[in-house]
Amino acid sequence: MCRGLSSLQSCCLERAKGIKSRLGVFLQTSEKSYSSVQANNIEKTKSRPSSEEAKKWRQSLDKMLAHKYGLAAFRAFLHSEYSEENIEFWLACEDYRKTKSSAKRASKAKKIYLEFIETNAPKEVNIDYETKDFTKSHLLKPNCSSFDVAQKKIYNLMEKDSYARFLKSELYLNLIKQRERTTSQSDTNRQSQT
């Protein structure tokens, strides 16, 4: 007998909410006219990086993560590889580091530990026992650098493994090609209009 959503574990509810929000686009009925869809596509194109900007992401993982669309593309790639917990952990650590209030910092530290570091955590990241133990010991009195060692290990893992595969991925290569085609088509359209 179904007992409703309250019987589900919180991690299952969070994942279900995430899936629902990602699929929400398909669930909504759309009554947009062609012109409003076209205007929306133009707006999206403006917010995307140029081919040259996207090519700069090859310089370093830092450059890519600093770019809003680069981060989004990398997240999508990691999601497709079932390893998005790495970037989520890294981002949670970045947010944690910026937290000024010691009460909020303690709360966030506990949440990050339970979600990403604890053995069998819902989004457990791949770090060695010594790093887990070191991080856990630093959470007794959390400070802004409590997760630095673990975050650096995950960053290095992403940089050496996921980032290299991302640069060779269809997603990234298509982004560069699509932007080049869009730019050349726009130039051709402008020339034909004059």
Side-chain angles (χ1 to χ4, degrees), residues 150-180:
Q151 184 184 21
K152 183 69 175 163
K153 293 220 179 205
I154 293 302
Y155 180 89
N156 289 338
L157 178 70
M158 289 190 303
E159 186 175 42
K160 289 179 181 144
D161 187 37
S162 305
Y163 174 62
R165 283 196 320 276
F166 171 77
L167 294 177
K168 296 174 187 171
S169 72
E170 248 182 77
L171 184 135
Y172 178 68
L173 297 175
N174 286 341
L175 174 67
I176 291 174
K177 289 176 188 173
Q178 180 182 359
R179 292 300 296 161
E180 286 174 348

Side-chain angles (χ1 to χ4, degrees), residues 1-106:
M1 186 159 156
C2 182
R3 290 181 281 167
L5 293 176
S6 61
S7 66
L8 291 175
Q9 291 182 353
S10 64
C11 65
C12 293
L13 283 174
E14 290 302 315
R15 287 185 180 179
K17 287 177 186 176
I19 291 168
K20 182 182 176 188
S21 68
R22 284 183 230 135
L23 295 176
V25 173
F26 299 114
L27 298 173
Q28 296 173 356
T29 55
S30 176
E31 297 178 8
K32 293 180 179 178
S33 67
Y34 175 74
S35 60
S36 66
V37 170
Q38 191 175 20
N40 192 24
N41 286 341
I42 291 169
E43 190 60 38
K44 284 181 183 177
T45 304
K46 287 179 183 176
S47 67
R48 289 186 178 179
S50 69
S51 180
E52 291 306 312
E53 285 175 309
K55 285 179 182 178
K56 288 179 185 176
W57 301 345
R58 292 179 186 158
Q59 294 172 0
S60 72
L61 179 58
D62 280 333
K63 284 222 185 251
M64 186 179 63
L65 295 178
H67 194 282
K68 179 180 170 183
Y69 197 79
L71 174 60
F74 190 57
R75 279 182 97 157
F77 173 74
L78 290 176
H79 180 75
S80 73
E81 293 205 329
Y82 304 100
S83 61
E84 67 267 25
E85 70 277 357
N86 292 331
I87 193 68
E88 289 178 19
F89 172 71
W90 186 83
L91 290 168
C93 291
E94 289 296 296
D95 178 58
Y96 172 81
R97 185 178 293 122
K98 295 173 188 170
T99 304
K100 302 291 184 211
S101 163
S102 59
K104 284 184 181 179
R105 188 180 303 130

Side-chain angles (χ1 to χ4, degrees), residues 92-139:
C93 291
E94 289 296 296
D95 178 58
Y96 172 81
R97 185 178 293 122
K98 295 173 188 170
T99 304
K100 302 291 184 211
S101 163
S102 59
K104 284 184 181 179
R105 188 180 303 130
S107 172
K108 284 184 180 185
K110 182 178 180 181
K111 183 179 179 194
I112 291 170
Y113 180 81
L114 294 174
E115 189 171 355
F116 297 104
I117 296 179
E118 185 177 55
T119 304
N120 296 322
K123 297 178 182 179
E124 185 177 4
V125 291
N126 187 13
I127 54 175
D128 57 87
Y129 175 78
E130 290 80 22
T131 305
K132 283 185 180 191
D133 200 42
F134 178 82
T135 304
K136 186 176 184 177
S137 69
H138 278 77
L139 296 181

